[in-house]
Amino acid sequence: MPEVRHFQQSALQFQSYAGEPIERAAICRLIGPADSQTMGAGLARFDGVSIEWTVLYDELIVVLEGHFRLRLADQVIEAKPGDVIWVPERTPLAYEGEKACVFYALYPVDWQARNG
């Protein structure tokens, strides 16, 4: 059985996301398929960037810092710290922000394996 894990902020390690410089887009994957059979979770940062993607999972986003935007085909969601966004599987979007840090949770954790 998996053990409870404590992720201390001082030990978090971000890496570049979507080929962008780490100061513009970064991700810190906390929970993945090696940790859970059901859900994934992590943190992401966006600053002056737009990253297009079609989510292959259900995703919940909680804005922690800065100004976060989720650009959809027919609307733009402007979110501030404390706002929560739910994104259903197969939604085309763009992640954007100014000094934004978000927490995300996704299901299923093995979305990559399921989608080849």
Side-chain angles (χ1 to χ4, degrees), residues 18-30:
E20 292 287 335
I22 197 165
E23 60 275 358
R24 291 177 43 105
I27 192 163
C28 176
R29 292 177 177 92
L30 300 173

Side-chain angles (χ1 to χ4, degrees), residues 59-109:
E59 182 174 35
L60 186 75
I61 301 168
V62 181
V63 181
L64 302 174
E65 298 174 358
H67 181 91
F68 177 73
R69 263 186 317 282
L70 194 68
R71 189 171 300 279
L72 307 168
D74 59 351
Q75 73 176 9
V76 177
I77 297 172
E78 304 279 347
K80 61 185 184 320
D83 290 355
V84 180
I85 304 166
W86 178 72
V87 183
E89 181 180 14
R90 306 267 176 229
T91 300
L93 52 74
Y95 300 113
E96 301 178 352
E98 283 80 42
K99 299 191 183 317
C101 183
V102 302
F103 167 82
Y104 68 86
L106 58 87
Y107 174 87
V109 69

Side-chain angles (χ1 to χ4, degrees), residues 40-68:
L43 300 168
R45 294 180 178 157
F46 305 97
D47 192 20
V49 68
S50 181
I51 297 175
E52 294 183 11
W53 170 245
T54 298
V55 293
L56 303 175
Y57 39 77
D58 288 341
E59 182 174 35
L60 186 75
I61 301 168
V62 181
V63 181
L64 302 174
E65 298 174 358
H67 181 91
F68 177 73

